[in-house]
Amino acid sequence: MEMFTEYLWAFLIGGALCLIGQLLIDLTKLTPARILTAYVVAGVVLGALGLYKPLVDLAGGGATVPLTGFGYLLSKGVREAVDQNGLLGVFMGGFTSAAVGISAAIFFGLLAALAFKSGSKINET
Amino acid sequence: MNISNQEYGELAKRMSPPSAMYKTLPLSFVIGGGICVLGEALLNLYGMLGLSQDDAGALTSMTLIFLSALFTGLKLYDRIAQHAGAGTLVPITGFANSVVSPALDFKSEGYVLGLGAKMFVIAGPVIVYGISASIIYGIIYYITTLF
Amino acid sequence: MPVCRGKTFKYEKASILSYAAVVGKAESDGPYGGEFDEVLEDNKDSAETWEQAEALLQSKALKHAMGKAELKPEDMDLLVAGDLLNQCTGSSYGLKDYYIPFLGIYGACSTFAEGLLLAGAMVNGGYVGNAAAVTSSHFSSAERQFRFPLNYGGVRTPTAQWTATAAGAAIVVPESKPPYIRAATVGKIQDMGITDLNNMGAAMAGAAYDTISRHFTHMGTHPESYDLIITGDLGQVGSDILSDLFRRDGVSIDKYHKDCGLMLYDREKQDVHAGGSGCGCSASMMCGHFLKRIECGDLKRVLFCATGALMSPTMVQQGGSIPGICHAVEITAK
């Protein structure tokens, strides 16, 4: 039962964060790239204010998988780095915490680009 | 013209159909939520294999990014995204798609100036503003630790 | 009707000798799929890249048009061609091997009408014995240049249009044979202040209204004078705006108006949102469908008005608006 509520929260919170993004697409002129940027920055701000941590504790993947989670990770990383390395940590924390995500995106992106051909979009509904 | 630009703008707005939100909102919720549930399942799986919470999180991101790269290469990601909207945009898989798709597309202009240079043409701002925001927060946090 | 200067050209001897259209897969799956001369396999055929594929489209369209008229490249006097890509890549690279005198033109999606009216003028003026108007667009090359990478999962808004993978070529000669080019009105640039990249129909509809109503005034005609008024790629949004603009003058064009962007695809089954667009959209519908019907006398008098959004991605990013243009060419069976 506990397992089930854990997944339910992940679904609900993750779905809600996506729903907010969809509302931004449908109701405003914001382009997808702007929305992604806004999500990451929002994650940093919410993480800094300590507001995102409770969401992560509640929803797990529901809060860490959306890009706000990436922003939260950046804020967490920079805080830990400052605690350890002082002022220099300011410039270390972000990339350290984002290292896995960015490296994976670069390397798997390279692999995919090498392995596949760019394809025509298909316009069947 | 028999109409002012302002009046024309209002006419154009009236004639432009709005998004079918009765369809886009539930789809983005369900598909986006689904990707997050997959993330949660991976977190639990890696946790059961004995990884620490942070390592399991990192490995989960890696797995999702790998899957997104694979689906982008197979031309499936954009087909799902046609229906999912923000449901495939907001999760980390959307970030990966925005890195992989230009790399794939601009391969025709060469490996260095095409694939390499264009890889972050969409995702670049996410990193620029994400990292910058973290640095600003870091400076503020550093100042608070001084007292 | 607005006050207008800028004459409508009248043509005495300009006929369309032959014409051909080559399309991609989605277009061949559309309602008029059977009427085109060739379908590019996998939207690419033997080409390596999308830009090469667009060049190939144009090359093939001209080859078919010349073949039907039994003309060889050395028999041709002039090519008037253009497309959507920077430096008119499709035309320059697709037509270079023919070694025919070449004029490159840019009119965005209005290029086919611009080409026809210039080819007609050169033939009618007696400068050349024949001239071909050629144009193309390719979904993938346009998407790469103007929007996002092909496999990016960005969302298309309901007002967005689908760039046609298609090319058309028509050879104009002074000999008397239907279809005849009878008159043409050169469009003026109309900037209606539309800034939305995903709403080209709205950016172009004002220009269509301006050119069509000027053509009516100069020719002393009205919608009822024509069997059809064919616009290029206004799509659903642009067509609705055009109809509304004419209604303000107490004129109804709905009965005579057809839009190539609304015809090329099956909008029920194909996810093209507000309709098709691109130079190839109107070129392929004219060369694949309408010119045949005019030639056989099924349509007696047609006003072909290809519309173009003279959009610069740089200017739009700088906050600028999207100017539109529309050229009208009157084509008759007699």
Side-chain angles (χ1 to χ4, degrees):
Chain A
M1 193 61 212
E2 200 178 301
M3 195 79 165
F4 175 74
T5 45
E6 181 191 323
Y7 283 108
L8 184 69
W9 277 117
F11 180 72
L12 290 179
I13 299 295
L17 284 167
C18 293
L19 184 82
I20 295 169
Q22 188 64 40
L23 282 169
L24 290 173
I25 291 175
D26 288 345
L27 298 177
T28 70
K29 292 270 169 224
L30 286 177
T31 54
R34 282 168 197 259
I35 292 172
L36 286 191
T37 309
Y39 262 66
V40 171
V41 175
V44 174
V45 173
L46 290 175
L49 296 173
L51 296 174
Y52 207 79
K53 177 99 186 8
L55 212 56
V56 175
D57 294 339
L58 176 70
T64 54
V65 172
L67 270 190
T68 38
F70 190 62
Y72 161 72
L73 199 64
L74 292 177
S75 71
K76 192 172 150 222
V78 86
R79 197 166 53 234
E80 285 167 6
V82 169
D83 286 340
Q84 270 184 13
N85 303 299
L87 189 55
L88 199 58
V90 169
F91 288 87
M92 292 165 72
F95 266 114
T96 309
S97 58
V100 172
I102 294 175
S103 301
I106 290 176
F107 189 64
F108 294 142
L110 178 64
L111 284 186
L114 294 177
F116 297 100
K117 276 180 149 176
S118 117
S120 209
K121 250 196 169 61
I122 298 161
N123 70 349
E124 286 143 7
T125 46
Chain B
M1 290 301 298
N2 60 352
I3 187 168
S4 72
N5 271 18
Q6 195 196 348
E7 213 183 328
Y8 187 90
E10 282 157 20
L11 174 65
K13 208 172 198 176
R14 209 167 61 239
M15 294 296 182
S16 303
S19 298
M21 284 167 64
Y22 64 92
K23 247 177 21 196
T24 60
L25 294 184
L27 274 171
S28 69
F29 187 91
V30 171
I31 297 176
I35 294 173
C36 293
V37 167
L38 175 65
E40 179 71 18
L42 288 168
L43 267 176
N44 283 335
L45 176 71
Y46 294 137
M48 278 194 297
L49 293 177
L51 270 75
S52 74
Q53 209 185 355
D54 280 358
D55 287 358
L59 207 54
T60 299
S61 295
M62 233 171 102
T63 313
L64 289 174
I65 288 167
F66 174 78
L67 288 174
S68 172
L70 183 67
F71 275 59
T72 304
L74 293 170
K75 284 119 199 122
L76 292 172
Y77 201 86
D78 60 300
R79 291 197 71 175
I80 301 169
Q82 264 182 13
H83 305 286
T88 45
L89 179 79
V90 168
I92 188 98
T93 51
F95 172 75
N97 171 250
S98 75
V99 174
V100 180
S101 60
L104 194 57
D105 217 33
F106 288 98
K107 187 171 58 161
S108 54
E109 280 76 42
Y111 292 105
V112 174
L113 290 178
L115 192 164
K118 296 287 175 70
M119 188 179 249
F120 283 93
V121 77
I122 306 170
V126 173
I127 294 174
V128 170
Y129 292 105
I131 293 290
S132 299
S134 81
I135 289 173
I136 291 169
Y137 167 55
I139 293 169
I140 297 170
Y141 180 71
Y142 175 72
I143 294 169
T144 61
T145 57
L146 294 177
F147 301 105
Chain C
M1 293 283 166
V3 186
C4 45
R5 285 215 57 187
K7 281 196 304 187
T8 289
F9 304 161
K10 303 270 176 63
Y11 295 79
E12 303 295 330
K13 38 181 197 208
S15 289
I16 298 172
L17 177 64
S18 68
Y19 42 88
V22 180
V23 299
K25 182 175 184 307
E27 294 68 24
S28 74
D29 289 342
Y32 298 90
E35 302 203 37
F36 304 116
D37 296 273
E38 189 179 337
V39 178
L40 211 59
E41 199 186 320
D42 213 11
N43 295 324
K44 218 170 191 177
D45 233 10
S46 59
E48 297 264 317
T49 67
W50 300 115
E51 289 70 20
Q52 288 174 20
E54 177 162 355
L56 189 64
L57 268 179
Q58 231 177 93
S59 164
K60 280 178 182 287
L62 180 62
K63 191 186 83 187
H64 282 289
M66 289 197 310
K68 286 181 188 176
E70 294 179 1
L71 288 168
K72 287 198 261 316
E74 52 269 33
D75 303 325
M76 296 294 300
D77 283 341
L78 180 66
L79 297 178
V80 187
D83 55 89
L84 292 176
L85 300 182
N86 293 337
Q87 296 88 33
C88 290
T89 302
S91 308
S92 312
Y93 285 78
L95 306 177
K96 64 180 169 144
D97 293 334
Y98 286 101
Y99 202 57
I100 300 170
F102 169 81
L103 287 174
I105 56 171
Y106 183 79
C109 311
S110 72
T111 303
F112 193 58
E114 186 175 350
L116 265 187
L117 82 80
L118 284 171
M122 294 298 276
V123 166
N124 192 69
Y127 296 107
V128 293
N130 59 39
V134 197
T135 188
S136 67
S137 56
H138 194 300
F139 175 82
S140 302
S141 60
E143 204 69 7
R144 267 160 59 81
Q145 177 173 316
F146 292 105
R147 295 198 176 93
F148 287 113
L150 288 169
N151 300 110
Y152 178 56
V155 197
R156 306 172 77 80
T157 58
T159 55
Q161 291 175 249
W162 185 274
T163 307
T165 301
I171 299 175
V172 185
V173 292
E175 285 84 310
S176 178
K177 104 170 239 314
Y180 296 94
I181 300 177
R182 284 300 183 203
T185 302
V186 177
K188 300 177 188 178
I189 301 167
Q190 283 285 347
D191 194 335
M192 307 309 296
I194 299 292
T195 53
D196 184 359
L197 269 181
N198 289 313
N199 203 347
M200 295 297 184
M204 301 187 290
Y209 163 80
D210 184 71
T211 301
I212 296 170
S213 51
R214 275 169 53 221
H215 191 86
F216 287 166
T217 311
H218 291 148
M219 297 293 289
T221 52
H222 40 85
E224 292 77 25
S225 313
Y226 300 93
D227 291 325
L228 283 179
I229 297 166
I230 304 164
T231 51
D233 54 356
L234 290 178
Q236 190 62 59
V237 180
S239 296
D240 290 347
I241 295 174
L242 182 67
S243 160
D244 191 277
L245 290 174
F246 273 104
R247 254 200 318 276
R248 285 160 196 258
D249 292 340
V251 177
S252 170
I253 62 158
D254 297 1
K255 237 171 82 187
Y256 308 95
H257 177 222
K258 287 266 182 197
D259 184 69
C260 299
L262 292 176
M263 300 175 73
L264 188 57
Y265 302 100
D266 181 344
R267 289 177 71 222
E268 296 284 306
K269 293 205 189 88
Q270 297 180 295
D271 189 19
V272 296
H273 297 261
S277 71
C279 308
C281 180
S282 62
S284 63
M285 279 309 294
M286 287 306 287
C287 294
H289 176 69
F290 286 118
L291 288 176
K292 273 180 215 160
R293 287 180 63 191
I294 302 169
E295 185 170 2
C296 73
D298 176 29
L299 295 170
K300 307 242 169 342
R301 192 180 191 189
V302 158
L303 189 59
F304 168 52
C305 321
T307 44
L310 302 173
M311 188 269 291
S312 149
T314 310
M315 288 296 272
V316 171
Q317 279 178 355
Q318 291 173 2
S321 53
I322 305 168
I325 191 142
C326 169
H327 304 295
V329 181
E330 192 169 319
I331 305 170
T332 64
K334 277 199 189 121

